[in-house]
């Protein structure tokens, strides 16, 4: 009986350590990638759901669904031991590795995109600049024409008004 309880204590101690690893997984994600508040809420919900499922799974598999207080004490103890000893190093090393890989992937993508960038600029110079030049000039000409027509109409109104005054 005591050996069985010691065995369960160690199993749930490992469960607490695995919950600490899961907690660090989400911490590493947050430190490596800029996440919005909404995404952080979703990550928190996922963490608590996974933690609850993990604890329930261990309780049903190893203790036939019987809940004992020492299980939760050992989970908290395992989590605390992990957080105080290994967590800092695992998070730091993992974040550095992810940021290093992220920078390599960004450089590879920029090298792959580089020729397409210049092809796009070349196509813009050949096709879009002449078309935009034509449209800009057409717009300028229409604007000037509109202004000239308005000026002529204003002059025409003045001449009509002056001619009416002279007739009286």
């Amino acid at each position: 009986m005591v050996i069985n309880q010691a065995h369960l204590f160690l199993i749930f101690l490992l469960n607490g350590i695995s919950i600490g690893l899961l907690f660090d997984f989400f911490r590493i994600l947050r430190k490596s990638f800029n996440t919005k508040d909404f995404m952080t809420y979703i990550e928190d919900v996922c963490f608590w759901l996974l933690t609850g499922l993990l604890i329930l799974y261990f309780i049903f598999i190893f203790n036939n669904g019987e809940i004992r207080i020492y299980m939760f004490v050992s989970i908290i103890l395992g989590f605390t031991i992990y957080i105080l000893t290994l967590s800092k190093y695992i998070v730091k090393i993992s974040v550095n590795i992810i940021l290093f890989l992220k920078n390599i992937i960004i450089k590879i993508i920029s090298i792959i995109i580089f020729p397409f960038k210049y092809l796009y600029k070349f196509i813009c110079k050949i096709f879009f600049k002449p078309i935009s030049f034509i449209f800009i000039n057409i717009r300028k000409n229409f604007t000037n024409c509109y202004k000239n027509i308005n000026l002529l109409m204003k002059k025409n109104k003045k001449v009509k008004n002056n001619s009416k005054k002279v007739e009286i």
Side-chain angles (χ1 to χ4, degrees):
M1 181 84 176
V2 174
I3 295 173
N4 186 27
Q5 289 178 350
H7 182 256
L8 285 174
F9 188 84
L10 288 174
I11 287 173
F12 284 99
L13 190 78
L14 292 174
N15 191 3
I17 291 171
S18 64
I19 291 170
L21 283 167
L22 184 64
F23 180 73
D24 277 349
F25 171 74
F26 287 108
R27 283 178 51 195
I28 291 166
L29 284 178
R30 287 182 188 151
K31 287 185 177 191
S32 299
F33 304 101
N34 293 330
T35 57
K36 303 287 183 197
D37 286 341
F38 180 71
M39 193 62 188
T40 302
Y41 298 140
I42 291 174
E43 288 174 354
D44 287 344
V45 169
C46 288
F47 169 74
W48 285 110
L49 284 174
L50 290 172
T51 300
L53 290 174
L54 190 67
I55 291 171
L56 287 175
Y57 178 77
F58 271 67
I59 289 173
F60 279 107
I61 294 298
F62 294 106
N63 204 24
N64 298 324
E66 293 180 20
I67 298 175
R68 304 279 185 236
I69 193 74
Y70 68 86
M71 293 178 200
F72 294 105
V73 170
S74 63
I75 290 172
I76 292 169
L77 185 64
F79 182 79
T80 305
I81 288 170
Y82 171 78
I83 291 296
L84 293 176
T85 57
L86 297 174
S87 177
K88 181 171 65 170
Y89 304 111
I90 288 177
V91 169
K92 189 174 184 177
I93 291 169
S94 298
V95 167
N96 287 335
I97 289 171
I98 289 174
L99 291 178
F100 177 74
L101 292 174
K102 190 171 144 183
N103 287 334
I104 288 175
I105 290 171
I106 288 171
K107 286 180 183 179
I108 289 172
I109 289 173
S110 66
I111 289 170
I112 292 171
I113 290 176
F114 182 76
F116 294 107
K117 222 191 267 187
Y118 281 101
L119 181 67
Y120 175 75
K121 286 181 181 180
F122 179 72
I123 289 173
C124 284
K125 280 183 179 179
I126 289 178
F127 293 111
F128 297 123
K129 275 209 171 179
I131 291 172
S132 67
F133 177 76
I134 290 170
F135 280 113
I136 288 171
N137 283 327
I138 289 173
R139 186 183 52 139
K140 283 182 183 178
N141 287 334
F142 275 119
T143 306
N144 287 337
C145 185
Y146 179 75
K147 286 179 183 177
N148 289 336
I149 289 172
N150 278 340
L151 281 173
L152 283 173
M153 290 181 77
K154 285 181 182 178
K155 284 182 182 179
N156 218 3
K157 278 186 180 179
K158 282 185 182 179
V159 168
K160 280 185 181 180
N161 286 338
N162 286 339
S163 66
K164 284 184 183 178
K165 287 181 184 178
V166 171
E167 288 179 10
I168 297 179

